[in-house]
Amino acid sequence: MELSDANLQTLTEYLKKTLDPDPAIRRPAEKFLESVEGSQNYPLLLLTLLEKSQENVIKVCASVTFKNYIKRNWRIVGILVEDEPNKICESDRIAIKANIVPLMLSSPEQIQKQLSDAISIIGREDFPQKWPDLLTEMVNRFQSGDFHVINGVLRTAHSLFKRYRHEFKSNELWTEIKLVLDAFALPLTNLFKATIELCSTHANDASALKVLFSSLILIAKLFYSLNFQDLPEFFEDNMETWMTNFHSLLTLDNKLLQTDDEEEAGLLELLKSQICDNAALYAQKYDEEFQPYLPRFVTAIWNLLVTTGQEVKYDLLVSNAIQFLASVCERPHYKHLFEDQNTLTSICEKVIVPNMEFRAADEEAFEDNSEEYIRRDLEGSDIDTRRRAACDLVRGLCKFFEGPVTGIFSGYVNSMLQEYAKNPSVNWKHKDAAIYLVTSLASKAQTQKHGITQANELVNLTEFFVNHIQPDLKSANVNEFPVLKADGIKYIMIFRNQVPKEQLLVSIPLLINHLQAESIVVHTYAAHALERLFTMRGTNNTTLITAAEMAPFVEVLLTNLFKALTLPGSSENEYIMKAIMRSFSLLQESIIPYIPSVITQLTQKLLAVSKNPSKPHFNHYMFESICLSIRITCKANPDAVGSFEEALFMVFTEILQNDVQEFIPYVFQVMSLLLEMHKNEIPTSYMALFPHLLQPVLWERTGNIPPLVRLLQAYLERGANTIASAAADKIPGLLGVFQKLIASKANDHQGFYLLNSIIEHMPPESVAQYRKQIFILLFQRLQNSKTTKFIKSFLVFINLYCIKYGALALQEIFDSIQPKMFGMVLEKIIIPEIQKVSGQVEKKICAVGITKILTECPPMMDTEYTKLWTPLLQALIGLFELPEDDTIPDEEHFIDIEDTPGYQTAFSQLAFAGKKEHDPVGQMVNNPRIHLAQSLHKLSTACPGRVPSMLSTSLNAEALQYLQGYLQAASVTLL
Amino acid sequence: MPVVAKQSERMRQFKNKGKNAAALRRQRVEVNIELRKAKKDEQILKRRNILFSLMEENISPEDKRNEVVQLSLEEIVEAVNGSNEELQLQATQATRRMLSRQKEPPINQIIELGIIPRLVEFLTCADNAPLQFEAAWALTNIASGTSDHTKAVVEGGAIPAFISLLSSPHMHISEQSVWALGNIAGDGALYRDALINCSVVPPLLALVSPVTPVGFLRNITWTLSNLCRNKNPYPPLDAVNKILPVLICLMEHEDKEIISDSCWAISYLTDGSNDRIQIVLDTGILPRLVELMASPELIIMTPALRAIGNVVTGTDEQTQVAIDAGVLAVLPCLLRHAKPTIQKEAAWTLSNIAAGPCRQIQQLITCGLLPPLVELLDKGDFKAQKEAVWAVANFTTGGTVEQVVELVQSGVLKPLLNLLLAKDSKTILIILDTISNLFLAAEKLGETERLCLLVEELDGLEKIEALQT
């Protein structure tokens, strides 16, 4: 493309069209621009337009297009990537770099920002080697005296240098930083000094001050970036200049810079906030050098806090400033800065207490944005809030001054409570602050599971609870002072391990009552508190609160919980659903009378949410609750399973038919649970579904695999005979599933689960014709991609096969695939790898299987396999006695971590649909060691003399010693 | 699935970084780029002789007028190049005096006069000792400047001249030569080896005797240390083998500067590959070094600690020699030292011992290193905290499950998790790696749940979550 007027005209037309709301016009224009962007001069045309176009829209549009073009194309990915050639020719690159800085600086702000972005993208690639003049060019502009230009340079510098804050140290990076420091540090320092002077000469000129303060903010940010990796020599030498000025800026105020906006931070706040960050950086990393300045900053920052108002716009500044104090006061060598009683009192009084107050903004969130409020207050996503910062400062101060701080605050708490008592409806916020103060003072360590785990012993939590928390919760009106109710409930929740049990029991009916509160926060907290109390452990690993103790409240608890789900805003409240689940689990059979109503409500809920599942936690707990209802009821009355099927199958069918993906894995788990409840033959309703479960499409989704395997296992356990007789034509489909699973490294263990169930439950003749094919498939997989996980599962399978069909059958099937194969499997797989088998049941299966091979397989005694007999015995003794071998070959080290059985991301396992561990060997063999001894004895009586001679020739001494122990324990001897 | 593959690839890089035992031992990093000020506690590379000039300026004005002849630069050039010995001496002395003034000595200007070759010539005037001395002093001070300054002296041919002056019958000339040679050696490996190739070592070592005055001996020790200094390449082996026995004697001297500089020399010799470390170990000097590491004198403790720190970057066996010499008994004190650089160096040393096999880790536990390590992690200077994090990371990689339990019981978690707030990406990465090691150990004990709670109690979960933003 020529740099011609015609081309400029064309480009203008197309740029204009890209702004058209009509896609029929817009899209082709965008396509056209993309098609020409590889042409030489294209970027230069854009630069010309953004500078000289008559129309402002075109200027802006050209600047945005230019930036995006640079973003897409500047980086040369690599010569080898053929489909991404270098779209920008060298001469254009040079021209862009030569012109862009002056162009950026002379452009209006809107365009300047785009060009500044473009410069930093180019800089990321080319700076410093391929753009050596950039720094000098920028630094020279500092002398221009034009702060519009200077701010442009500073902004660009900031976007170029800010990556120093997170990059890892490297020679390359540090070379660049050193280069930047050499060229930039002194001019920046001079600019800093000059700007500060200008601020005092223009102290009465609002518009000038605004520009100057924007510069100062950028300068302070640059300071942070340049000092991040290490303390540069230059800045160490000039620390006096920087820190003295930073310090005085912290204490500066100017009415002209104050803003009316309550929400948005003004320039002054932004600058001070950045200075706090800078001071914190030095205090943390360069303490040795910064020590002389630190006390001044502590005083300045604390004065700043005392004089800063409650408006939201100061939040970031205040929380940064408090966090600075919190980090400093924990250091032993700065302890003295805080230890004076007056200092402590003043910090508590003027910094901590005011920032703990419940503000209008909090009140708004409490009422109108309760989900957000709960997340911040309950789940700790409040890191940047003032309350949190104040709380951290309390904890920091308590490290050295727990006694005095507690003393100071106790006085405060009392006076705030008195204020409240005088006129609760006006002064309720005082009580809120008092509760918050007690909470942050008392809590030293906290977890979701246990609430507070370490408390300040100087605070009497129970007394406070009885005197100030319970009365609020006892009041008849659950809707009065909702914030205080929420505070009270939260208090119970987090101090549940500190408050004595009898007090908790008194609280339970109060909490149940508050499930009816209109405020979302209050009834959510009530549900959450109940749920937490129900999970507490007492002695003997039982729940602290027993079902018997809950007996009087069962009905009202269940009624209120389900009613709470009908309150506005809580129809899918996960805390309530979790409380329902936990109540069922605690109350067990006492819920049975209410089950008919409960299950109706749950299925209705299920039907409603399956239209548009949006709350995963809510849904999960709902399915858990369903499972619990089934388990608890059927445990007492197995026949009740039919009524659950009646209630649920209709909804399940709808879920399956509408393919509600989120719910299908859950449905399979509930169905497995139901099917396992049946004691007799499998009902026909299940058999009708069976063919559908084998459809490949269901198996495409990874989340379906574990629950579907589980369900098929339930089918095999309960209905193997029915399948063999009535659905024999489906066996190939079943094996097809196995084949698909076994081919995947991630799912092969699931395939083995299925295969093991088939071997264990299906009548042998029904699968006889497929057996050889199964072994061949397994061998193919062994040859193509052998992994430790596969081998472990394979070993369990062949031993189970051996137990089920006999050792001889195992040997025969191997050798029928290929002569001498059995020996190879023994030598190359079983003997060397058996130590890797994990799991109690799995090890037992292998032990019994190998014992059979040793003692019930004639070819082991009188063919060339005989030489493997002793090594196999030795391996078996190793399996008994040696620690499990959990080493993994290097090349598959990491496959295993992601693919270990049980590790599933897309699948949420229902705890209460859980399957008991199944031991196919069961009572047949109680002690595998004794079983080995007995079997060897039997073998030795059949062929006297041979066993002892095999043992004495090659079994190692240690193994022999163990073996003798087994023989002794079994009271047998070898002949 | 490509996503999974990518993830495990990431995992591989991450895991292996922590697992690669060979990478655990961290050599003293030779940073080519330094943002910081040159370290204040490093040994001085080059020194200018200014002490005498200070005294001279205190001479009474009349004396000064009598003795000191003021000469312009032109006059100096003329006199130096002339043949009048009296004037030569005067001019050389004037030059030396300018170069000895405390502030901003005009080294560049003097070099530009082009008189260095003449000054070198004066070194050989065996019949004019005062001239030899003044020239040697002037050249010493020129060589004390930048690399370019030293280069000017060397290219003027000063090396052989100074080496032969080592054997001068006048002790003050011999001493000044030692000093000049020290400055040349301190410039870098190139000139160091140039000196060694000109056989500087035998006559230098010959100067060491029981009767050598302390001041002179200090100069010799310092020059010897510069001859041991610098890597890439290391100093030639035969020179090292000659110097080492003398250094070992010097380390027994009662003067603390002599001890300090000989320790610095040992620290340079141990700063390198394992075979270099072995040469030092073979002298049996380690117990003495460990003793010196416990010295109350900072100037002795610093280089001794550095030397020991270097030794434990070596093989397990070499580290064991340091352990057997008692290093673990001294480290607790140093970890608690008031000076951040000592804390840091001690923690670095500890981190390399913790990178050893579990029997060495056990010795570390037995010798009570865990409490000071945890303290340092909690309250130390940031530089030292970073090293302490490495120590913990190595410990959790190589330690047995029982040892890791002991570490956790020493309270390491709280300060470790607190450091997740550090403004240093590398440190954060190592901490995360360490936490994952701790969880591996907990898993083996079936204590995952308890460790989770512990981490959560200490706000670890929140801090890790905050890292994602």
Side-chain angles (χ1 to χ4, degrees):
Chain A
M1 285 169 105
E2 294 287 302
L3 273 172
S4 64
D5 285 345
N7 276 336
L8 284 173
Q9 192 51 43
T10 319
L11 215 49
T12 306
E13 293 302 318
Y14 278 105
L15 284 173
K16 207 175 279 170
K17 283 183 189 162
T18 62
L19 300 171
D20 201 292
D22 181 1
I25 299 173
R26 194 176 65 239
R27 295 247 166 79
E30 287 166 354
K31 276 260 172 314
F32 169 80
L33 290 178
E34 234 174 88
S35 73
V36 298
E37 73 177 19
S39 323
Q40 186 169 2
N41 289 332
Y42 172 76
L44 306 182
L45 286 165
L46 284 178
L47 287 179
T48 314
L49 278 182
L50 71 84
E51 186 188 3
K52 300 200 171 124
S53 173
Q54 302 299 314
E55 297 167 77
N56 199 38
V57 249
I58 295 301
K59 285 184 168 185
V60 175
C61 182
S63 69
V64 174
T65 311
F66 176 79
K67 191 212 43 203
N68 290 331
Y69 162 84
I70 294 293
K71 203 171 177 177
R72 272 200 311 275
N73 300 316
W74 192 271
R75 181 157 187 216
I76 303 170
V77 183
I79 316 146
L80 293 175
V81 187
E82 281 172 15
D83 51 341
E84 281 192 57
N86 176 9
K87 278 197 178 168
I88 310 179
C89 72
E90 203 47 40
S91 62
D92 281 356
R93 286 177 186 267
I94 292 167
I96 290 171
K97 282 188 277 187
N99 294 314
I100 191 166
V101 175
L103 196 53
M104 184 255 311
L105 296 173
S106 62
S107 300
E109 194 165 329
Q110 214 177 358
I111 292 169
Q112 193 175 68
K113 281 204 165 119
Q114 300 297 331
L115 290 177
S116 175
D117 281 351
I119 292 174
S120 58
I121 297 165
I122 298 173
R124 187 65 199 86
E125 296 302 314
D126 287 18
F127 179 77
Q129 270 81 23
K130 290 197 234 159
W131 204 355
D133 320 330
L134 180 61
L135 276 181
T136 359
E137 198 175 349
M138 295 205 305
V139 167
N140 286 341
R141 308 283 167 165
F142 283 166
Q143 265 111 52
S144 69
D146 178 347
F147 272 81
H148 173 73
V149 168
I150 289 172
N151 281 347
V153 173
L154 291 173
R155 204 172 296 122
T156 308
H158 176 54
S159 63
L160 277 174
F161 305 155
K162 67 181 175 211
R163 70 187 183 97
Y164 305 158
R165 298 171 178 198
H166 53 79
E167 298 262 312
F168 292 115
K169 174 178 175 176
S170 70
N171 270 344
E172 211 184 345
L173 180 72
W174 282 37
T175 314
E176 179 182 323
I177 296 178
K178 205 168 164 56
L179 195 96
V180 170
L181 286 168
D182 288 346
F184 205 78
L186 180 63
L188 186 72
T189 309
N190 292 335
L191 179 68
F192 182 49
K193 287 190 281 194
T195 312
I196 285 177
E197 266 167 43
L198 286 172
C199 285
S200 52
T201 47
H202 291 81
N204 298 316
D205 179 349
S207 62
L209 277 183
K210 273 181 194 152
V211 180
L212 292 169
F213 267 75
S214 309
S215 310
L216 287 175
I217 293 169
L218 286 163
I219 293 171
K221 286 182 174 178
L222 285 164
F223 177 90
Y224 192 84
S225 300
L226 294 176
N227 281 277
F228 192 89
Q229 293 274 333
D230 203 345
L231 175 59
E233 179 166 10
F234 179 88
F235 285 102
E236 187 176 343
D237 291 341
N238 291 277
M239 202 181 287
E240 182 68 28
T241 305
W242 283 91
M243 288 305 157
T244 312
N245 283 313
F246 278 156
H247 177 260
S248 64
L249 286 172
L250 268 184
T251 55
L252 177 115
D253 192 15
N254 189 322
K255 287 223 156 41
L256 294 175
L257 286 165
Q258 289 168 357
T259 52
D260 297 332
D261 193 327
E262 287 207 351
E263 306 266 322
E264 198 79 33
L267 293 170
L268 208 49
E269 290 82 65
L270 289 174
L271 176 63
K272 289 181 178 181
S273 192
Q274 183 60 48
I275 292 174
C276 286
D277 283 343
N278 293 352
L281 177 75
Y282 266 50
Q284 188 189 76
K285 295 184 88 164
Y286 317 124
D287 188 37
E288 200 181 358
E289 293 81 3
F290 187 57
Q291 270 188 30
Y293 299 93
L294 189 119
R296 267 183 264 170
F297 274 86
V298 168
T299 319
I301 286 175
W302 146 33
N303 283 330
L304 174 78
L305 283 167
V306 172
T307 51
T308 304
Q310 290 285 329
E311 291 84 352
V312 174
K313 67 175 168 183
Y314 300 123
D315 282 8
L316 183 66
L317 172 61
V318 168
S319 85
N320 265 357
I322 299 181
Q323 294 292 6
F324 172 82
L325 293 184
S327 73
V328 172
C329 74
E330 281 186 340
R331 310 265 193 99
H333 52 281
Y334 295 127
K335 188 181 155 189
H336 65 277
L337 295 175
F338 298 87
E339 72 194 337
D340 179 67
Q341 182 73 21
N342 291 328
T343 310
L344 272 181
T345 311
S346 162
I347 290 179
C348 293
E349 208 175 293
K350 296 186 177 129
V351 177
I352 293 171
V353 172
N355 284 302
M356 283 196 172
E357 265 167 38
F358 199 75
R359 294 181 300 165
D362 299 319
E363 206 173 348
E364 234 167 71
F366 185 92
E367 281 164 14
D368 303 332
N369 195 358
S370 38
E371 252 180 77
E372 175 65 24
Y373 182 90
I374 292 168
R375 193 155 46 236
R376 272 209 319 242
D377 190 43
L378 220 47
E379 296 167 14
S381 64
D382 57 347
I383 295 179
D384 284 332
T385 62
R386 288 180 177 220
R387 273 195 158 188
R388 174 56 185 272
C391 196
D392 287 348
L393 182 55
V394 173
R395 284 215 217 165
L397 288 172
C398 281
K399 189 166 171 183
F400 293 119
F401 314 111
E402 189 170 35
V405 169
T406 310
I408 294 167
F409 281 141
S410 302
Y412 258 91
V413 168
N414 286 333
S415 74
M416 286 192 284
L417 290 171
Q418 276 160 15
E419 285 299 303
Y420 166 75
K422 276 186 219 154
N423 190 348
S425 56
V426 175
N427 294 337
W428 61 266
K429 284 185 186 172
H430 289 283
K431 180 158 184 182
D432 170 82
I435 298 174
Y436 198 85
L437 202 49
V438 169
T439 307
S440 47
L441 198 58
S443 50
K444 289 170 130 183
Q446 184 168 17
T447 70
Q448 286 287 323
K449 194 164 175 182
H450 299 297
I452 303 294
T453 52
Q454 284 176 49
N456 178 338
E457 284 163 9
L458 305 171
V459 181
N460 190 333
L461 290 165
T462 307
E463 202 180 279
F464 190 83
F465 177 68
V466 174
N467 295 335
H468 302 290
I469 300 292
Q470 266 184 0
D472 277 346
L473 297 178
K474 277 183 178 156
S475 95
N477 184 352
V478 295
N479 294 320
E480 194 185 26
F481 305 132
V483 174
L484 292 184
K485 307 273 194 211
D487 287 341
I489 297 171
K490 189 179 165 197
Y491 188 97
I492 300 178
M493 194 154 57
I494 67 173
F495 291 115
R496 59 188 181 273
N497 274 310
Q498 281 73 35
V499 170
K501 181 179 170 182
E502 58 273 18
Q503 293 302 337
L504 295 179
L505 285 174
V506 175
S507 312
I508 283 178
L510 304 177
L511 293 172
I512 294 175
N513 197 28
H514 281 84
L515 288 169
Q516 304 181 80
E518 283 162 16
S519 157
I520 297 176
V521 177
V522 173
H523 65 244
T524 302
Y525 279 23
H528 189 47
L530 285 166
E531 194 271 332
R532 293 286 86 190
L533 295 186
F534 292 166
T535 53
M536 289 175 72
R537 297 259 169 221
T539 44
N540 320 325
N541 211 22
T542 53
T543 52
L544 179 73
I545 291 163
T546 63
E549 283 160 340
M550 286 300 297
F553 311 117
V554 175
E555 182 162 353
V556 60
L557 172 64
L558 295 179
T559 311
N560 285 2
L561 280 170
F562 279 97
K563 258 180 28 201
L565 285 177
T566 62
L567 292 168
S570 278
S571 67
E572 293 178 40
N573 186 316
E574 65 182 69
Y575 291 96
I576 300 174
M577 193 44 94
K578 197 173 180 188
I580 291 176
M581 172 192 78
R582 202 67 71 192
S583 304
F584 286 5
S585 167
L586 175 72
L587 300 171
Q588 291 290 331
E589 60 274 12
S590 27
I591 63 167
I592 293 178
Y594 308 97
I595 285 293
S597 136
V598 159
I599 205 75
T600 315
Q601 296 186 66
L602 284 173
T603 41
Q604 274 166 5
K605 203 58 159 178
L606 174 57
L607 196 61
V609 296
S610 67
K611 304 275 184 275
N612 177 23
S614 51
K615 297 268 163 94
H617 286 109
F618 176 85
N619 299 334
H620 186 88
Y621 297 131
M622 176 178 60
F623 278 105
E624 293 280 23
S625 305
I626 292 173
C627 290
L628 272 166
S629 315
I630 297 170
R631 284 193 105 109
I632 293 167
T633 314
C634 296
K635 193 173 150 201
N637 173 18
D639 297 336
V641 64
S643 57
F644 282 105
E645 287 168 348
E646 208 172 298
L648 291 166
F649 273 17
M650 202 188 65
V651 194
F652 284 179
T653 314
E654 225 178 289
I655 290 171
L656 292 174
Q657 274 169 357
N658 294 331
D659 194 24
V660 184
Q661 297 193 13
E662 293 88 336
F663 284 0
I664 289 179
Y666 288 120
V667 167
F668 290 148
Q669 292 179 77
V670 179
M671 285 181 64
S672 306
L673 181 69
L674 288 167
L675 180 49
E676 281 158 9
M677 290 294 171
H678 284 275
K679 291 286 171 265
N680 306 317
E681 257 311 276
I682 189 164
T684 47
S685 52
Y686 286 87
M687 280 314 290
L689 190 65
F690 184 60
H692 300 285
L693 299 179
L694 304 175
Q695 281 171 7
V697 56
L698 275 180
W699 295 87
E700 297 295 332
R701 287 188 215 132
T702 46
N704 286 350
I705 290 174
L708 259 180
V709 166
R710 157 90 195 276
L711 182 56
L712 289 182
Q713 284 183 290
Y715 269 88
L716 288 162
E717 223 168 281
R718 291 283 175 268
N721 289 324
T722 315
I723 294 171
S725 58
D729 58 327
K730 298 293 176 283
I731 295 174
L734 196 58
L735 291 168
V737 170
F738 153 74
Q739 184 175 355
K740 182 179 162 59
L741 294 174
I742 215 77
S744 138
K745 277 189 192 170
N747 296 320
D748 49 15
H749 63 286
Q750 296 282 352
F752 276 111
Y753 292 162
L754 189 59
L755 181 59
N756 291 346
S757 287
I758 293 173
I759 295 299
E760 195 187 340
H761 300 293
M762 290 296 281
E765 62 284 359
S766 66
V767 290
Q769 54 173 314
Y770 308 109
R771 271 186 239 159
K772 194 166 166 184
Q773 190 55 37
I774 290 171
F775 276 85
I776 291 173
L777 284 173
L778 294 176
F779 273 112
Q780 281 169 351
R781 172 61 211 276
L782 260 181
Q783 271 170 348
N784 296 336
S785 57
K786 189 168 96 168
T787 63
T788 303
K789 174 162 75 97
F790 185 86
I791 288 180
K792 282 157 79 170
S793 302
F794 178 72
L795 286 169
V796 174
F797 162 70
I798 54 177
N799 282 298
L800 182 73
Y801 188 94
C802 175
I803 294 169
K804 184 81 186 171
Y805 292 112
L808 198 57
L810 183 70
Q811 176 259 321
E812 281 169 3
I813 198 160
F814 277 125
D815 286 348
S816 75
I817 296 170
Q818 190 187 308
K820 318 235 192 292
M821 179 82 127
F822 184 56
M824 275 166 55
V825 170
L826 284 177
E827 196 180 347
K828 299 281 196 281
I829 301 175
I830 300 187
I831 293 171
E833 309 276 11
I834 197 73
Q835 208 61 42
K836 291 192 169 149
V837 172
S838 52
Q840 199 120 41
V841 174
E842 286 81 354
K843 284 186 177 173
K844 189 172 169 190
I845 293 171
C846 290
V848 175
I850 293 174
T851 302
K852 273 184 179 297
I853 298 173
L854 287 168
T855 61
E856 296 174 20
C857 180
M860 287 300 288
M861 299 305 286
D862 48 20
T863 64
E864 61 200 277
Y865 293 155
T866 312
K867 65 175 190 296
L868 296 170
W869 193 89
T870 329
L872 184 62
L873 177 61
Q874 176 129 354
L876 175 58
I877 295 170
L879 178 67
F880 286 142
E881 306 299 342
L882 296 177
E884 190 179 305
D885 172 11
D886 55 4
T887 58
I888 291 161
D890 280 347
E891 70 271 18
E892 58 167 301
H893 205 95
F894 305 102
I895 302 162
D896 206 66
I897 289 172
E898 319 238 310
D899 299 346
T900 36
Y903 182 84
Q904 289 111 7
T905 39
F907 163 61
S908 304
Q909 190 155 10
L910 289 169
F912 292 113
K915 186 172 157 63
K916 265 188 277 166
E917 192 166 37
H918 172 67
D919 178 2
V921 181
Q923 296 304 309
M924 196 171 88
V925 173
N926 251 332
N927 182 334
R929 290 182 178 82
I930 304 268
H931 175 69
L932 171 67
Q934 288 164 341
S935 304
L936 284 173
H937 170 71
K938 224 163 104 190
L939 177 69
S940 79
T941 39
C943 44
R946 291 218 36 209
V947 179
S949 86
M950 286 197 286
L951 294 184
S952 60
T953 48
S954 52
L955 197 67
N956 81 24
E958 212 179 336
L960 194 61
Q961 208 175 350
Y962 280 118
L963 182 62
Q964 269 152 2
Y966 309 159
L967 293 165
Q968 242 164 32
S971 320
V972 291
T973 46
L974 300 180
L975 301 172
Chain B
M1 275 189 296
V3 178
V4 174
K6 217 182 226 167
Q7 257 191 352
S8 61
E9 180 60 31
R10 200 193 125 246
M11 194 73 171
R12 192 191 317 273
Q13 289 171 354
F14 174 65
K15 281 280 177 185
N16 283 356
K17 202 183 279 170
K19 284 275 185 296
N20 187 348
L24 287 181
R25 286 253 158 80
R26 291 172 307 123
Q27 300 273 321
R28 187 177 295 287
V29 192
E30 203 66 20
V31 237
N32 306 327
I33 322 297
E34 195 56 81
L35 301 178
R36 282 241 177 199
K37 248 177 156 44
K39 289 181 210 104
K40 293 151 214 156
D41 44 40
E42 292 282 352
Q43 194 197 17
I44 300 160
L45 273 170
K46 298 176 187 174
R47 301 176 306 158
R48 203 151 54 86
N49 187 350
I50 52 173
L51 289 167
F52 289 109
S53 65
L54 267 176
M55 278 166 55
E56 265 177 35
E57 263 145 48
N58 289 336
I59 299 170
S60 63
E62 307 98 270
D63 286 351
K64 218 174 175 180
R65 213 179 306 126
N66 292 341
E67 287 209 354
V68 181
V69 186
Q70 296 288 340
L71 293 175
S72 71
L73 292 177
E74 292 77 23
E75 286 166 329
I76 287 179
V77 175
E78 204 184 315
V80 164
N81 288 325
S83 51
N84 182 328
E85 285 197 16
E86 187 56 32
L87 287 178
Q88 282 173 355
L89 180 61
Q90 270 182 16
T92 308
Q93 197 172 38
T95 310
R96 183 267 297 169
R97 202 172 280 125
M98 275 190 269
L99 290 168
S100 306
R101 77 172 179 232
Q102 240 184 335
K103 279 187 181 163
E104 294 165 14
I107 301 182
N108 279 327
Q109 283 163 278
I110 301 291
I111 293 175
E112 280 160 20
L113 297 181
I115 58 170
I116 289 182
R118 278 297 278 176
L119 294 177
V120 173
E121 259 181 77
F122 295 163
L123 292 179
T124 59
C125 300
D127 52 347
N128 190 346
L131 185 60
Q132 274 185 314
F133 178 65
E134 289 295 345
W137 188 344
L139 288 169
T140 301
N141 284 4
I142 296 174
S144 75
T146 65
S147 250
D148 283 338
H149 299 156
T150 312
K151 191 175 168 195
V153 173
V154 173
E155 288 179 349
I159 290 182
F162 274 126
I163 291 178
S164 54
L165 278 187
L166 286 176
S167 326
S168 161
H170 307 284
M171 196 195 268
H172 67 298
I173 295 177
S174 161
E175 185 174 357
Q176 193 59 54
S177 306
V178 169
W179 192 328
L181 291 165
N183 278 342
I184 295 171
D187 187 67
L190 191 68
Y191 288 160
R192 177 200 67 200
D193 290 350
L195 290 174
I196 291 172
N197 290 334
C198 293
S199 304
V200 73
V201 175
L204 188 60
L205 292 179
L207 294 172
V208 179
S209 81
V211 296
T212 316
V214 170
F216 193 3
L217 208 50
R218 285 179 185 162
N219 266 327
I220 297 169
T221 314
W222 174 72
T223 298
L224 283 173
S225 76
N226 269 354
L227 286 169
C228 295
R229 199 166 184 167
N230 288 309
K231 305 197 263 190
N232 306 319
Y234 299 119
L237 260 185
D238 55 329
V240 172
N241 282 329
K242 281 181 200 136
I243 294 172
L244 256 178
V246 177
L247 281 178
I248 282 157
C249 294
L250 289 171
M251 278 171 72
E252 302 292 339
H253 203 278
E254 57 203 10
D255 182 72
K256 55 188 186 187
E257 283 181 38
I258 291 174
I259 299 175
S260 169
D261 280 340
S262 18
C263 286
W264 278 111
I266 297 288
S267 83
Y268 302 142
L269 294 176
T270 47
D271 179 11
S273 58
N274 294 348
D275 48 328
R276 289 286 166 155
I277 293 175
Q278 194 57 43
I279 293 167
V280 174
L281 288 188
D282 290 342
T283 63
I285 193 62
L286 243 53
R288 174 64 178 157
L289 263 183
V290 170
E291 192 184 318
L292 293 174
M293 194 173 101
S295 159
E297 295 294 341
L298 200 62
I299 60 164
I300 295 175
M301 169 201 284
T302 303
L305 173 57
R306 285 192 147 227
I308 293 289
N310 289 339
V311 168
V312 299
T313 65
T315 63
D316 290 347
E317 293 69 33
Q318 292 172 333
T319 305
Q320 192 60 46
V321 178
I323 295 176
D324 294 342
V327 60
L328 291 174
V330 182
L331 278 182
C333 254
L334 304 187
L335 290 167
R336 293 181 170 121
H337 199 273
K339 236 178 118 47
T341 42
I342 296 289
Q343 293 175 9
K344 177 193 146 205
E345 199 79 17
W348 174 65
T349 305
L350 186 60
S351 79
N352 277 330
I353 298 175
C358 50
R359 63 190 151 83
Q360 289 178 351
I361 293 180
Q362 192 53 46
Q363 283 182 290
L364 180 161
I365 297 173
T366 314
C367 293
L369 268 296
L370 290 185
L373 174 64
V374 171
E375 268 171 50
L376 189 67
L377 207 57
D378 187 21
K379 301 177 195 148
D381 181 79
F382 185 64
K383 294 186 287 288
Q385 284 178 321
K386 279 203 282 192
E387 295 300 334
V389 166
W390 271 110
V392 174
N394 289 346
F395 187 113
T396 59
T397 310
T400 64
V401 173
E402 293 72 29
Q403 290 168 340
V404 172
V405 168
E406 191 133 5
L407 178 72
V408 172
Q409 282 168 349
S410 313
V412 79
L413 263 179
K414 188 177 171 99
L416 190 71
L417 292 168
N418 277 340
L419 281 170
L420 284 172
L421 301 174
K423 298 178 201 302
D424 184 272
S425 322
K426 183 75 186 165
T427 302
I428 291 171
L429 207 61
I430 304 163
I431 295 174
L432 292 176
D433 217 353
T434 306
I435 296 172
S436 116
N437 284 343
L438 293 178
F439 272 101
L440 284 179
E443 198 184 347
K444 287 191 187 142
L445 293 169
E447 295 276 18
T448 307
E449 181 75 357
R450 248 179 73 193
L451 184 60
C452 283
L453 287 177
L454 217 55
V455 168
E456 192 186 343
E457 274 189 357
L458 298 168
D459 296 331
L461 199 60
E462 274 192 4
K463 283 173 188 140
I464 294 170
E465 277 173 356
L467 290 175
Q468 297 178 329
T469 54

